[in-house]
């Protein structure tokens, strides 16, 4: 609208806009103060899913399946040394009195419950702390299968303390607990201590996120200064855009705070994206303004001309980029949806501030010192002219090359797979990852495993041999075939009680043969710890039981196959049983989340393609132009999918968003090229002349902005999170290929298939 107003009205607009900008800045400043960091696995659960609702109901009956820590303590050559065991017992006593710790378990305090006939329950310790009995205790422990790779490693070089802490600890609570545990362990001077669990992961992720957000802000800001100096070669050109670029980041961060969502790992890349997108808009506007101002038409006229020529094209590129981010809201994962909404909003903020705040700054600030422009631009003019001629001389060859290229990419896409690990964002070099790997290998892993078991006939109870034998069949499959280790199991408890009742004989580690023995065990459990132990295994109604444990983090691909086999087992072997079994738990829901990604990804990209097609159709009123504008921007997406397939980069939360982001940004060059092409046609130029002028004038800008974008995204390779680093590399490859396609295939498609209307 600025090209329709005079300078006097423009000054009035400046005053009104300045007041509005100040008020909005105050609002967003309030939002900055509300900003928080967060690491919550549950936010990655599928939204509106029945299994999510089922798990929340299941957890309400029992307890959280993921609020525990495993502390592995090594001793060379064996843990069965009296001095070492006494130190572990002393440590465990202190752990039990630590804030937010509910209880602990280890071989030094674990006891077998013994219920003699017609007598009160009693217990026997696994470790008696008598020197001449230690060898016998060692032998008995090793023979008890429920202890191996649960509380003691098979090689006997380490033992594990299981720490059950308060559910849903906050960041501060997690930090305090982990710090207390590390401090207690350090005081004893053990050979090696490894701590793993949700609270440890939460502390690591949040600390890293805070560091990386600050790191990327500083690094991106340095990049902005470098590219602004390269583009304008003056202090004026470096300082003028700073308020816009920094203002955009300030508004976006403030919007995050006002949005009410804490910053997750996905949003740690946001500063880099905001800096790069804002800088691209600023360079487009300032470059055209300086070109106009050098002609001597005056400051106000130069601003009007600049907005008239580049305003619509930049608006369209901002809209298409925002569409790419907003399409992430189709992925039914809350952190991804929040990231898409905020990033899309950030792109629009960058456009608004560029075309509202920057013209105000230009108008009020002193004129730039340098005004001379060389008439010679030999490098860009010669190179682009040569490339243009080569492209138009061999259109058929270019089409054949791209057909072959697409074929190769489609072959690579066949190998593309969706897979995810709980800790796959962390490099193998990180100590925390090495600790988790050790516990995966020696103690069954830190990945939670949870089954819900209910009775088909509510007139029965779980204290029936018929029911327990059916549960035992499921347990045997889980441990021997599926590969998970069970910690919470009513069958295991009954087996241990039966064994202890028969003086610890291994052959009695079975369910009792008589119902009356089972009833005696039930009465005994009700007297142990006030029945709390039983309540962990059975709900208050007695109609639901849980099988809880842990397993190695094999990845979504392997575990999905195991889940299919489990369902087949339940269908074939347990269809006529007394129980109903359902897989649930936090890890299961995170796995299920991956299965939604592919479908959500297709929806998001399809929406982006349709909206961009509609925009191009409205601008050109031509079906052929719709296809011409879409085809060059689908090829980079096929290419990045092929790269992921060939190099084994799996589709997961961090890499899935690459496709929608890349399409939204890559289409910008196409729009700028076609915008210039249409502008020349509207002047009455021939198609070939319009094509050449578009190639020579926008080619340089396309190359520069692509390098700016790639330089910004390549900063992500410095991330400690592997998914973020992969995202940076994939985005760079996609945008670079998009540039090549726009400079080679797009002119050929326009020349061969676009007909100019009179």
């Amino acid at each position: 609208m600025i090209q329709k107003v005079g300078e006097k009205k423009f000054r009035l607009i400046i005053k009104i806009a300045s007041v509005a900008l100040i008020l909005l800045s105050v609002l967003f400043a309030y939002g900055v103060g509300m900003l928080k960091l967060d690491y919550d696995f549950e936010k990655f659960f599928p939204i509106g899913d029945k299994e999510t609702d089922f798990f929340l109901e299941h957890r309400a009956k029992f307890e959280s399946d993921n609020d525990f820590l495993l502390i592995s303590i090594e001793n060379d050559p064996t843990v069965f040394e009296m001095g070492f065991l006494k130190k572990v017992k002393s440590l465990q006593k202190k752990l039990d009195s630590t804030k937010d710790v509910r209880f602990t378990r280890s071989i030094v305090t674990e006891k077998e419950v013994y219920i003699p006939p017609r007598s009160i329950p009693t217990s026997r310790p696994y470790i008696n702390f008598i020197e001449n009995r230690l060898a016998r205790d060692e032998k008995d422990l090793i023979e008890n299968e429920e202890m191996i790779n649960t509380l003691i490693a098979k090689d006997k070089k380490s033992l594990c303390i299981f720490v059950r802490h308060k559910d849903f600890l906050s960041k501060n609570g997690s930090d305090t607990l982990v710090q207390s545990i590390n401090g207690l362990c350090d005081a004893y001077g053990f050979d090696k201590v490894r701590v793993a669990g949700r609270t440890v992961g939460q502390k690591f992720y949040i600390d890293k996120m805070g560091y990386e957000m600050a790191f990327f802000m500083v690094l991106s800001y340095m990049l902005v200064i470098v590219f602004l100096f390269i583009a304008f070669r003056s202090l004026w050109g470096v300082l003028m855009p700073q308020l816009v670029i920094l203002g955009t980041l300030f508004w976006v961060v403030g919007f995050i705070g006002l949005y009410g969502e804490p910053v997750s790992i996905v949003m740690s890349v946001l500063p880099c994206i905001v800096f790069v997108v804002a800088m691209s808009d600023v360079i487009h506007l300032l470059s055209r303004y300086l070109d106009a101002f050098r002609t001597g038409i005056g400051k106000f006229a130069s601003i009007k001309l600049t907005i008239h020529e580049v305003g619509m094209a930049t608006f369209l590129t901002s809209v298409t980029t925002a569409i790419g981010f907003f399409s992430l809201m189709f992925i039914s994962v809350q952190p991804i949806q929040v990231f898409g909404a905020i990033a899309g909003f950030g792109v629009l903020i960058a456009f608004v501030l560029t075309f509202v705040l920057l013209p105000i700054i230009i108008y009020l600030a002193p004129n730039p010192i340098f005004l001379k422009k060389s008439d010679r631009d030999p490098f860009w003019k010669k190179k682009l002219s040569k490339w243009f001629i080569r492209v138009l001389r061999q259109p058929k060859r270019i089409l054949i090359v791209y057909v072959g290229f697409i074929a190769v990419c489609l072959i690579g896409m066949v190998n593309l797979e969706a897979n995810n690990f709980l800790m796959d964002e962390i490099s193998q070099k990180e100590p925390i990852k090495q600790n988790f790997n050790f516990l995966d290998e020696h103690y069954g892993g830190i990945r939670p495993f949870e089954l819900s078991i209910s009775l088909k006939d509510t007139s029965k109870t779980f204290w029936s041999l018929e029911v327990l034998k059916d549960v035992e069949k499921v347990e045997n499959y889980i441990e021997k075939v599926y590969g998970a280790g069970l910690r919470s199991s009513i069958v295991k408890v009954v087996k241990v009680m039966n064994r202890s009742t028969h003086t610890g004989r291994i052959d009695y580690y079975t369910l009792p043969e008589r119902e009356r023995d089972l009833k005696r065990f039930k009465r005994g459990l009700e007297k142990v710890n006030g029945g709390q132990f039983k309540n962990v295994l059975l709900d208050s109604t007695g109609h639901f039981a849980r099988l809880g444990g842990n397993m190695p983090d094999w990845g979504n691909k392997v575990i999905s196959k195991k889940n299919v086999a489990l369902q087949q087992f339940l269908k074939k072997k347990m269809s006529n049983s007394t129980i109903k079994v359902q897989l649930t738990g936090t890890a299961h829901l995170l796995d299920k989340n991956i299965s939604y990604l592919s479908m959500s990804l297709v929806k998001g990209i399809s929406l982006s393609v349709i909206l961009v097609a509609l925009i191009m159709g409205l601008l050109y009123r031509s079906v052929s132009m719709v296809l011409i504008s879409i085809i060059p921007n689908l090829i980079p997406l096929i290419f990045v999918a092929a790269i992921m397939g060939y190099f084994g980069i799996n589709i997961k939360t961090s890499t899935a968003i690459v496709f929608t982001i890349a399409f939204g940004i890559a289409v910008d060059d196409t729009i700028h090229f076609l915008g210039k092409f249409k502008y020349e046609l509207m002047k009455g130029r021939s198609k070939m002349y319009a094509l050449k002028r578009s190639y020579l004038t926008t080619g340089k800008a396309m190359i520069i902005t692509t390098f700016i974008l790639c330089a910004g995204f390549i900063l992500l390779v410095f991330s400690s999170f592997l998914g973020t680093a992969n995202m940076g590399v994939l985005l760079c490859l996609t945008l670079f290929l998009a540039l090549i396609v726009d400079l080679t295939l797009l002119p050929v498609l326009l020349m061969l298939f676009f007909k100019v209307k009179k």
Side-chain angles (χ1 to χ4, degrees):
M1 295 296 294
I2 189 173
Q3 60 266 27
K4 296 182 180 180
V5 303
E7 189 167 0
K8 186 176 180 180
K9 290 185 178 179
F10 180 63
R11 291 175 182 172
L12 178 61
I13 293 174
I14 287 178
K15 294 179 181 179
I16 297 173
S18 298
V19 173
L21 291 173
I22 291 172
L23 292 176
L24 287 171
S25 296
V26 171
L27 176 64
F28 289 125
Y30 175 74
V32 171
M34 301 171 64
L35 193 66
K36 297 178 181 179
L37 298 177
D38 184 40
Y39 172 70
D40 187 355
F41 265 129
E42 295 192 14
K43 290 185 178 179
F44 286 87
F45 289 171
I47 299 174
D49 184 78
K50 292 182 179 179
E51 290 199 41
T52 300
D53 296 336
F54 177 85
F55 168 68
L56 297 177
E57 293 175 2
H58 169 82
R59 188 173 63 185
K61 295 184 181 77
F62 299 101
E63 60 181 4
S64 169
D65 66 333
N66 199 29
D67 286 297
F68 64 88
L69 287 170
L70 299 181
I71 305 175
S72 167
I73 306 176
E74 297 180 43
N75 191 62
D76 189 32
T78 175
V79 297
F80 290 101
E81 292 181 356
M82 189 60 68
F84 170 76
L85 293 174
K86 286 181 177 179
K87 287 200 297 183
V88 172
K89 186 175 182 180
S90 173
L91 169 64
Q92 189 172 348
K93 184 178 180 180
K94 293 180 179 179
L95 288 173
D96 282 326
S97 60
T98 301
K99 182 182 178 182
D100 293 327
V101 173
R102 291 174 53 186
F103 65 86
T104 61
R105 289 182 60 199
S106 81
I107 61 171
V108 300
T109 57
E110 199 74 357
K111 298 178 181 180
E112 280 188 325
V113 177
Y114 171 53
I115 305 177
R118 303 181 187 88
S119 180
I120 61 174
T122 185
S123 60
R124 291 190 293 236
Y126 285 96
I127 301 293
N128 291 277
F129 289 95
I130 301 174
E131 191 68 49
N132 58 5
R133 288 197 57 180
L134 187 57
R136 179 181 172 182
D137 291 342
E138 175 184 350
K139 180 178 178 295
D140 292 342
L141 264 172
I142 298 303
E143 289 178 348
N144 293 342
E145 62 179 71
E146 75 273 12
M147 293 294 179
I148 301 300
N149 285 356
T150 302
L151 294 179
I152 184 172
K154 191 173 183 179
D155 60 8
K156 298 185 288 185
K157 292 182 178 180
S158 66
L159 58 77
C160 180
I161 300 178
F162 176 84
V163 179
R164 182 67 172 85
H165 59 74
K166 181 181 177 182
D167 290 349
F168 318 123
L169 279 179
S170 64
K171 171 64 167 60
N172 291 335
S174 296
D175 289 353
T176 302
L177 177 60
V178 173
Q179 186 176 2
S180 299
I181 290 175
N182 288 334
L184 289 173
C185 292
D186 291 342
Y188 284 90
F190 293 115
D191 290 349
K192 181 70 176 180
V193 177
R194 305 173 192 268
V195 184
R198 186 184 68 83
T199 54
V200 176
Q202 176 175 273
K203 184 179 187 307
F204 177 84
Y205 271 82
I206 293 180
D207 289 346
K208 283 290 184 181
M209 280 192 290
Y211 167 78
E212 290 202 351
M213 283 196 72
F215 175 75
F216 285 137
M217 282 184 186
V218 173
L219 208 58
S220 300
Y221 185 68
M222 293 172 62
L223 181 73
V224 165
I225 294 175
V226 170
F227 273 102
L228 287 175
F229 182 78
I230 292 173
F232 302 113
R233 296 186 180 277
S234 73
L235 184 62
W236 185 93
V238 172
L239 295 179
M240 290 297 291
Q242 295 302 306
L243 283 176
V244 175
I245 296 173
L246 294 177
T248 300
L249 180 64
F250 180 76
W251 278 29
V252 170
V253 173
F255 179 74
I256 296 174
L258 293 174
Y259 198 83
E261 283 292 333
V263 176
S264 66
I265 182 175
V266 182
M267 282 199 285
S268 62
V269 302
L270 203 57
C272 183
I273 292 174
V274 170
F275 270 123
V276 170
V277 172
M279 184 168 58
S280 178
D281 289 348
V282 167
I283 288 178
H284 275 293
L285 187 143
L286 277 185
S287 296
R288 186 64 190 95
Y289 168 78
L290 292 175
D291 287 342
F293 192 70
R294 286 188 181 100
T295 63
I297 62 175
K299 184 182 291 187
F300 177 67
S302 298
I303 293 174
K304 290 177 63 175
L305 181 63
T306 299
I307 294 177
H308 175 67
E309 289 197 8
V310 303
M312 179 55 70
T314 308
F315 171 73
L316 291 176
T317 58
S318 298
V319 169
T320 54
T321 303
I323 287 172
F325 285 112
F326 286 140
S327 64
L328 294 175
M329 299 180 72
F330 279 89
I331 297 178
S332 56
V333 182
Q334 186 188 18
I336 300 296
Q337 292 181 346
V338 172
F339 170 76
I342 292 174
F345 181 74
V347 171
L348 298 180
I349 285 179
F351 171 79
V352 170
L353 290 183
T354 300
F355 283 85
V356 175
L357 179 59
L358 191 55
I360 293 175
I361 297 173
I362 292 173
Y363 186 79
L364 298 177
N367 294 332
I369 296 175
F370 69 99
L371 295 177
K372 294 182 180 180
K373 179 183 177 183
S374 175
D375 294 331
R376 300 173 60 193
D377 193 2
F379 177 80
W380 289 109
K381 187 174 181 180
K382 289 181 179 180
K383 291 295 182 182
L384 289 172
S385 296
K386 287 182 179 179
W387 294 342
F388 181 71
I389 293 171
R390 288 178 181 176
V391 166
L392 295 191
R393 280 181 176 176
Q394 42 193 354
K396 292 183 179 180
R397 181 178 296 180
I398 289 175
L399 291 177
I400 293 172
V401 168
Y402 274 104
V403 169
F405 178 75
I406 292 172
V408 173
C409 290
L410 292 176
I411 295 172
M413 288 178 61
V414 175
N415 300 320
L416 190 61
E417 295 179 337
N419 198 10
N420 189 52
F421 296 83
L422 294 183
M423 301 293 291
D424 66 346
E425 294 288 339
I426 302 176
S427 169
Q428 294 289 346
K429 298 179 181 179
E430 294 284 353
I432 184 176
K433 185 62 175 286
Q434 295 171 5
N435 291 347
F436 275 68
N437 289 343
F438 180 87
L439 289 162
D440 265 0
E441 181 180 355
H442 294 282
Y443 293 101
I446 46 81
R447 177 189 172 94
F449 177 84
E450 192 83 3
L451 277 181
S452 171
I453 301 179
S454 59
L455 296 169
K456 292 181 179 179
D457 183 357
T458 55
S459 64
K460 297 182 178 181
T461 72
F462 279 95
W463 293 103
S464 161
L465 278 178
E466 180 186 11
V467 173
L468 287 181
K469 286 180 179 179
D470 285 338
V471 176
E472 185 182 33
K473 292 178 184 178
V474 176
E475 286 193 12
N476 289 337
Y477 180 88
I478 294 301
E479 292 193 316
K480 296 177 181 178
V481 181
Y482 193 96
L486 297 176
R487 295 180 183 271
S488 302
S489 159
I490 185 64
V491 170
K492 278 185 176 294
V493 171
V494 172
K495 283 182 177 180
V496 170
M497 295 176 72
N498 192 45
R499 182 184 64 199
S500 63
T501 303
H502 293 83
T503 65
R505 290 172 54 183
I506 301 301
D507 53 331
Y508 278 93
Y509 184 68
T510 61
L511 291 172
E513 296 180 354
R514 299 178 300 181
E515 291 279 355
R516 65 180 183 180
D517 289 334
L518 192 59
K519 292 179 181 179
R520 182 160 54 93
F521 294 160
K522 176 188 176 184
R523 289 194 299 270
L525 276 178
E526 289 174 345
K527 296 178 182 180
V528 176
N529 294 329
Q532 292 181 3
F533 186 55
K534 184 193 71 172
N535 294 337
V536 174
L537 307 173
L538 302 174
D539 81 319
S540 58
T541 66
H543 295 153
F544 294 89
R546 69 184 288 248
L547 295 183
N550 54 304
M551 58 190 293
D553 191 15
W554 289 312
N556 174 263
K557 180 182 175 182
V558 172
I559 293 173
S560 294
K561 292 180 180 179
K562 289 180 175 290
N563 290 343
V564 171
L566 172 61
Q567 296 302 328
Q568 292 175 346
F569 164 78
L570 295 175
K571 185 176 181 181
K572 292 180 180 180
K573 303 295 184 180
M574 305 299 296
S575 58
N576 296 322
S577 68
T578 60
I579 59 175
K580 180 181 177 182
V581 181
Q582 182 164 340
L583 188 63
T584 187
T586 55
H588 173 66
L589 292 176
L590 291 174
D591 284 342
K592 189 172 182 182
N593 199 14
I594 298 298
S595 65
Y596 285 124
L597 281 179
S598 298
M599 185 181 300
S600 301
L601 194 60
V602 172
K603 288 181 180 178
I605 294 177
S606 299
L607 176 66
S608 298
V609 171
I610 291 171
L611 291 177
V612 172
L614 288 174
I615 291 172
M616 301 312 297
L618 291 173
L619 284 176
Y620 280 90
R621 305 181 187 276
S622 168
V623 175
S624 61
M625 184 57 76
V626 170
L627 297 175
I628 290 171
S629 62
I630 294 301
I631 291 174
N633 293 289
L634 291 180
I635 293 176
L637 301 185
I638 298 173
F639 169 71
V640 75
I643 290 292
M644 292 174 65
Y646 280 123
F647 289 91
I649 301 174
N650 299 313
I651 292 180
K652 52 187 176 182
T653 305
S654 57
T655 55
I657 63 178
V658 169
F659 293 92
T660 49
I661 294 174
F663 180 81
I665 296 177
V667 77
D668 291 358
D669 284 344
T670 306
I671 291 176
H672 277 291
F673 190 99
L674 294 179
K676 181 63 176 178
F677 181 67
K678 180 183 179 182
Y679 186 73
E680 294 295 335
L681 291 177
M682 290 173 63
K683 291 182 178 180
R685 310 293 190 183
S686 66
K687 182 171 73 172
M688 189 58 65
Y689 181 87
L691 196 57
K692 180 180 179 181
R693 289 295 302 166
S694 301
Y695 199 94
L696 297 181
T697 56
T698 62
K700 177 183 175 181
M702 289 163 58
I703 293 171
I704 292 175
T705 53
T706 298
F707 274 100
I708 290 173
L709 291 168
C710 289
F713 286 124
I714 204 64
L715 296 178
L716 299 180
V717 301
F718 295 108
S719 173
S720 302
F721 302 115
L722 298 180
T724 303
N726 286 337
M727 183 195 304
V729 174
L730 293 173
L731 282 171
C732 288
L733 290 173
T734 307
L735 297 176
F736 187 71
L737 181 66
L739 172 67
I740 295 175
V741 174
D742 282 332
L743 292 177
T744 54
L745 182 60
L746 181 58
V748 171
L749 294 177
L750 288 170
M751 182 180 68
L752 296 179
F753 302 108
F754 180 70
K755 295 182 179 180
V756 179
K757 296 181 180 180
K758 293 184 180 180

